[in-house]
Amino acid sequence: MTAAHRLEAPLSRSDLESLQAGDLALVSGTLYTARDAAHKRLVEAIDQGEGLPMDLDGQILYYVGPTPASPGRVIGAAGPTTSYRMDPYTPALLKLGLKAMIGKGRRSEEVRQAMLKYGAVYLAAIGGAGALLSQAVKSVEIIAYEDLGPEAVRRLTVEDFPVTVINDLAGRDLYEEGKRRYARGNKS
């Protein structure tokens, strides 16, 4: 097993060039959170020529709707949500310089092509491990759409947030490679 890559967000394209589908990484720095409703508002703002609550250039979006923090904690459980729900909105955000997304599950072909076009990667966090993942979150600040509750856009500061590279800059897809590797009749 190889050592995990260390990523410091925000990211540049060169930060992503050594990542390959299947690699492990530990992310430190800033993550922005957004789920379905927030994505809809972000893209509506883009379509109407309005500014966004954050500059997406080099940023990472984490698809999460955290639970309320218990006493003494900065955040509650913070596990990933299913990524395909963000697929209709994602290409517009990648066009603005978004470099990575963290979620769970597959992405559409349109999103995979947009990642190749704009030089971005897709990372997966372990579903069902929200309490464990929340330990990597050091601070939280709501920056937009507070009325959306858990789906508000938050700025998280994280340290060693664990992820797996699913889609890399070369277009490799860990889920597709896994299906081929374990397909019935595959002798390799």
Side-chain angles (χ1 to χ4, degrees), residues 9-30:
L11 304 168
S12 67
R13 183 180 173 93
S14 65
D15 293 326
L16 306 178
E17 289 174 345
S18 66
L19 300 178
Q20 295 186 26
D23 286 352
L24 303 177
L26 297 170
V27 179
S28 295
T30 302

Side-chain angles (χ1 to χ4, degrees), residues 103-185:
K104 66 178 181 181
R106 297 185 50 158
R107 306 312 301 263
S108 69
E109 182 60 28
E110 181 183 11
V111 170
R112 288 187 282 174
Q113 290 303 314
M115 284 191 283
L116 283 172
K117 181 177 181 178
Y118 299 114
V121 298
Y122 172 54
L123 310 167
I126 298 172
L132 181 64
L133 291 169
S134 72
Q135 295 177 16
V137 179
K138 303 306 176 193
S139 69
V140 180
E141 174 188 8
I142 295 176
I143 64 164
Y145 315 142
E146 189 167 357
D147 61 300
L148 295 178
E151 295 199 36
V153 175
R154 290 172 168 79
R155 181 184 300 120
L156 308 182
T157 302
V158 298
E159 183 177 316
D160 292 341
F161 189 91
V163 293
T164 301
V165 179
I166 303 301
N167 295 97
D168 61 26
L169 290 181
R172 292 178 55 203
D173 184 310
L174 181 63
Y175 296 140
E176 292 298 323
E177 291 179 8
K179 284 188 340 191
R180 281 192 299 272
R181 186 172 183 182
Y182 295 103
R184 188 173 266 183

Side-chain angles (χ1 to χ4, degrees), residues 39-54:
H39 272 71
K40 184 174 188 291
R41 287 193 188 176
L42 291 169
V43 172
E44 285 172 353
I46 293 168
D47 291 344
Q48 295 170 8
E50 299 172 0
L52 297 181
M54 72 288 215

Side-chain angles (χ1 to χ4, degrees), residues 31-40 42 54 56 59-66 77-94 98-108 111-112 115 120-127 130 133 150-154 156 161 163 167:
L31 303 180
Y32 288 96
T33 71
R35 289 183 46 158
D36 324 33
H39 272 71
K40 184 174 188 291
L42 291 169
M54 72 288 215
L56 287 175
Q59 301 299 333
I60 301 173
L61 274 182
Y62 180 26
Y63 304 149
V64 61
T81 195
T82 305
S83 300
Y84 77 84
R85 296 196 312 254
M86 272 54 75
D87 283 358
Y89 310 107
T90 299
L93 304 179
L94 291 169
L98 180 66
K99 284 294 176 220
M101 300 143 291
I102 301 172
K104 66 178 181 181
R106 297 185 50 158
R107 306 312 301 263
S108 69
V111 170
R112 288 187 282 174
M115 284 191 283
V121 298
Y122 172 54
L123 310 167
I126 298 172
L133 291 169
E151 295 199 36
V153 175
R154 290 172 168 79
L156 308 182
F161 189 91
V163 293
N167 295 97

